[in-house]
Amino acid sequence: MARRIPPGTATFLEHLAAGLTEGQVSVDEHTRADYAADRGPVLDLHLPIAVVFAESVEDVQHVVLSCARHGVPVVARGAGTGISGGAHASQGCIVLSVERMNRILQFNVDDETAVVEPGVVNADLNSAAAEHGLMYAPDPASYRISTIGGNVATNAGGLRCAKYGVTRDSVLALDVVLADGSLIHTGHQTFKGVAGYDLTALFVGSEGTLGIVVGVTVRLRYLPRDVQTVAAFYPDFRGAAAGVLAVGKARVQPAIMEMLDGGTLRQLDELYGSDLSERGQALLLIQTDGFGATAEAALVREVLAAGGATVMAEANAEAERLVDMRRSSRGDETDNEYRVGEDVAVPRSRLVDYVAALEGMAEHHKVQLKVVAHAGDGNLHPTFWVEPAEMEADDDAVQRLNAALDDSIAAALEMGGTITGEHGVGQYKLRWLGLEQPEPLRALQHRIKALFDPAGILNPGKAI
């Protein structure tokens, strides 16, 4: 880990600071340490040589152009809530924070669109949209603190993905600063548009490796007039997974469909003083919305009860509170030597099979397991862990933990799934990318990267 600013960078820093105002460039060790990593596992920690706080598009252009001229890598960062290491500092880089670029620039109510800067917090955009009877649909669990720019970088998902899709499905246009400091605008203001290659979709999910997003035109949706929440408890997690498929066969399209296993319910009980784990070993949370929400919820309750679930009473306020509790179900824990979490997705038809496979892995490798899932689109977040005392007493504990993690990835791929549903590859998941994407595909992606970023200064060592 580099704790001191490398020699020979004084000229670069002087050039960098010359185009900015006082307080926008920080080189003190405390700030550099704070911005050295996001919330993902750290494989190779480096302190950036500086942290730059952009306040305008022109600031971003100046910073990128300065980095290009001096051959300095630049890692863009929003709120730093990612958990795959996509915003970890690279050796000898600067971290470019866009958190101060937090203005909502336009609301086009009749067109149902908005134009925002990348530092706008997801929840703040939703609050502003609600005043017009609209909403921004993507809602990652971190929506109260994560930024739109970060959501775009990872193509973030969320609870409402089951009905409204992921971030890419709500992004119409982007303003992007390229690796040479130039500014381009991609996309359109309309919901439909097929002229030329879809560069907007290419940038969404590229994790800052192709350009730095400085403006986002988003599509807004109607704020539902009615929302109904159904909570159903099951004796085991596989039963809840079967309930997901039963709802699909009933041809109901929930806005939210979430599964929580027994370990997660016990964690929530500890956090909130609830008694969820006493009611079952798995919870299926379903939310319907729109003018048909009540009728859809009634059918969902009927289907789940027929499948053996204990369904909470209609219009129960506690069920709605459970949705908020679900958003914090990953807890305040971070992945470390005792705990590893994942973000895989499988076809919905394989949910039951995959859950069974996870339980078998935990038993085989003698590790503990808890799972939450965006069941509506087959995206699961399994977490394996061992107790710290066990780690100290058992030399094989680390190997068992990592073996369970590797097996969970392999099983997802074998079932036609993916190594990441919404968190991104970042730095942490590069070791598995080759298992999902064969070399011809990876080589093509590296050629695309080289076209946009010939010198390789944009977020090196991430995503591809």
Side-chain angles (χ1 to χ4, degrees), residues 257-325:
M257 186 181 290
E258 300 289 305
M259 291 196 307
L260 298 82
D261 75 345
T264 304
L265 297 183
R266 287 189 291 274
Q267 179 190 54
L268 291 175
D269 287 344
E270 294 175 3
L271 285 172
Y272 297 101
S274 52
D275 63 349
L276 303 178
S277 59
E278 296 177 11
R279 304 191 219 178
Q281 288 303 302
L283 171 62
L284 181 57
L285 278 173
I286 293 178
Q287 199 168 80
T288 58
D289 68 2
F291 286 102
T294 300
E296 289 181 327
L299 180 54
V300 167
R301 289 187 177 94
E302 179 181 325
V303 167
L304 298 184
T310 301
V311 184
M312 293 177 61
E314 295 184 28
N316 192 316
E318 184 186 7
E320 297 177 16
R321 179 171 176 263
L322 288 175
V323 175
D324 282 335
M325 292 168 65

Side-chain angles (χ1 to χ4, degrees), residues 190-207:
T190 57
F191 296 162
K192 297 170 69 175
V194 294
Y197 294 137
D198 191 351
L199 295 180
T200 303
L202 179 61
F203 281 112
V204 177
S206 64
E207 302 187 47

